[in-house]
Amino acid sequence: MTIDVSEVKRRLQALLNDQSLVDEYLRQFGPSSGNQNAKSALAPRREEEDPIYEIKLTCPVCSKKGIVSYELKSKSQTIVLNKFLVPIYTGRPGFKTVDYTLLAPIVCPQCLFASPDKRDFGRGSESDQTKNQIPENVITNLQKSINKRKKLLKPETDPITCFKRPRSAAAAIDGYNLSLARAKVEACFNLPYAQFKMGAYCLRIAKILRDGGHNNTEILNNAIKFFEEAFRISNCPSEEFEMQTVYLLVALNLKIGNQKKASSYLNVFQNLQSQRLLEMEEDPSLNCNTINKWRDRARYLWEDRDDPELFKDE
């Protein structure tokens, strides 16, 4: 089909209303009348936005104000969980990709209280007086153990600058180790989810190590110990987190090559389901949905247990 160049120029002029843009379009694409996206094709590309913003918090242990917490802007990242339920971040259109796992731990540079959960800190601003969720007995103990936390950092580490952006992998691991120190105190007072939190922190350290090309077997074994203790003492009141604990014990034992132990935890799901079915006879409002959801996920891993690439990315 013959292209009427004059007609193409006329339409482009009407669309773009700028002769220089018309000339640039024709230079790039030629007189093709089939391209209906001239404006978008010539529009300058918008620089990708930083998905991180800062809020200021107050330490519950030493009362230091102005502690920086790096937060993710809503809908800035696509978040997918890996097989160990650690988030993987990919920037959505218009936003840069950021590995928020590195930035999640919030650290008080004065007393080294740390947590990835901003609810463990106070807001303390004039417009927001939200208090922290740490019990007083835990705070008292943490106030007495500041020197122990300081020993977790290398002597040359400056906590004022270490945890700022851009945060290194080593600084992120320090942040999770300090968070572990806090959670261990919570565990001493039998706080719910303390053991689960410690296992989850270990999994994030393991991901950071793997991403850096380092062996993470030791920290994965530490995670197993915390999740086993969480399951043993029923440390997770929420059924969702309890089933996640069992699932992670299946996954982690498969990862380290202990199929016998993985199988034993897979059987836990069957026992829990049988028990729940009996309970449902007395209370029809109960169901097996959560048990079945995590059982199925664990079963998929078990079925692929001999695949050498099952945990290639973990």
Side-chain angles (χ1 to χ4, degrees):
M1 182 180 69
T2 303
I3 296 175
D4 186 338
V5 177
S6 298
E7 177 63 16
V8 171
K9 287 183 177 181
R10 187 189 68 77
R11 291 182 181 182
L12 287 172
Q13 182 65 38
L15 177 65
L16 300 173
N17 195 31
D18 187 317
Q19 186 59 47
S20 63
L21 290 179
V22 172
D23 294 340
E24 177 63 18
Y25 179 86
L26 292 172
R27 185 187 68 80
Q28 289 188 39
F29 304 104
S32 173
S33 59
N35 192 321
Q36 302 299 316
N37 299 309
K39 277 190 172 180
S40 60
L42 290 172
R45 290 188 178 181
R46 189 182 66 166
E47 184 177 350
E48 291 183 323
E49 185 179 343
D50 184 358
I52 300 297
Y53 67 97
E54 298 180 6
I55 63 172
K56 300 297 176 65
L57 303 174
T58 300
C59 178
V61 174
C62 69
S63 300
K64 179 175 176 58
K65 297 182 183 297
I67 298 167
V68 174
S69 171
Y70 297 113
E71 303 290 318
L72 269 179
K73 293 177 182 177
S74 176
K75 300 181 180 179
S76 66
Q77 305 286 294
T78 298
I79 304 173
V80 178
L81 300 181
N82 71 7
K83 293 183 179 70
F84 299 140
L85 309 185
V86 178
I88 308 297
Y89 301 90
T90 305
R92 299 184 71 176
F95 289 94
K96 297 176 181 177
T97 293
V98 63
D99 186 357
Y100 188 66
T101 299
L102 298 176
L103 296 173
I106 310 160
V107 182
C108 172
Q110 185 164 284
C111 73
L112 300 181
F113 172 84
S115 173
D117 188 348
K118 66 185 176 192
R119 294 173 299 177
D120 288 340
F121 292 78
R123 296 299 287 264
S125 66
E126 292 183 2
S127 59
D128 188 347
Q129 294 293 324
T130 303
K131 293 184 177 180
N132 69 81
Q133 62 183 1
I134 306 293
E136 286 298 323
N137 54 357
V138 173
I139 290 176
T140 300
N141 189 288
L142 289 167
Q143 288 170 336
K144 297 176 181 178
S145 56
I146 294 175
N147 288 332
K148 288 183 179 179
R149 293 195 294 281
K150 288 182 177 179
K151 291 179 180 178
L152 294 174
L153 301 182
K154 294 179 180 179
E156 65 271 18
T157 299
D158 179 2
I160 295 177
T161 59
C162 173
F163 299 105
K164 291 183 177 181
R165 293 181 74 190
R167 185 177 290 179
S168 68
I173 290 173
D174 283 341
Y176 283 111
N177 280 327
L178 290 169
S179 299
L180 276 165
R182 183 212 80 249
K184 285 178 182 177
V185 175
E186 294 177 354
C188 289
F189 290 93
N190 298 315
L191 262 62
Y193 304 106
Q195 298 289 341
F196 184 91
K197 290 176 187 177
M198 289 191 284
Y201 299 162
C202 288
L203 291 179
R204 281 151 179 76
I205 294 173
K207 179 187 179 298
I208 295 169
L209 289 172
R210 184 196 63 79
D211 288 347
H214 304 290
N215 187 289
N216 61 7
T217 303
E218 181 180 358
I219 197 71
L220 289 176
N221 278 297
N222 289 343
I224 289 174
K225 292 176 184 177
F226 290 128
F227 288 127
E228 285 181 334
E229 184 65 8
F231 180 69
R232 186 186 71 83
I233 66 175
S234 298
N235 186 235
C236 299
S238 161
E239 183 173 81
E240 176 75 16
F241 282 98
E242 186 178 17
M243 294 306 102
Q244 284 185 27
T245 299
V246 181
Y247 162 82
L248 285 167
L249 286 167
V250 174
L252 285 164
N253 279 291
L254 285 175
K255 165 68 176 177
I256 66 171
N258 193 337
Q259 292 191 5
K260 182 177 180 181
K261 207 167 189 180
S263 176
S264 70
Y265 280 109
L266 189 60
N267 289 333
V268 166
F269 283 113
Q270 186 61 46
N271 296 335
L272 290 171
Q273 185 191 45
S274 298
Q275 180 181 344
R276 177 57 52 84
L277 290 173
L278 292 174
E279 294 170 348
M280 288 167 61
E281 294 178 2
E282 301 293 329
D283 185 355
S285 67
L286 297 174
N287 61 66
C288 295
N289 294 348
T290 303
I291 298 172
N292 292 344
K293 177 178 70 173
W294 290 103
R295 177 205 61 193
D296 290 346
R297 290 189 64 167
R299 186 180 289 168
Y300 296 147
L301 293 181
W302 177 258
E303 290 172 353
D304 292 334
R305 63 190 179 278
D306 295 322
D307 183 350
E309 296 193 344
L310 178 60
F311 296 104
K312 182 184 67 172
D313 297 325
E314 279 79 28

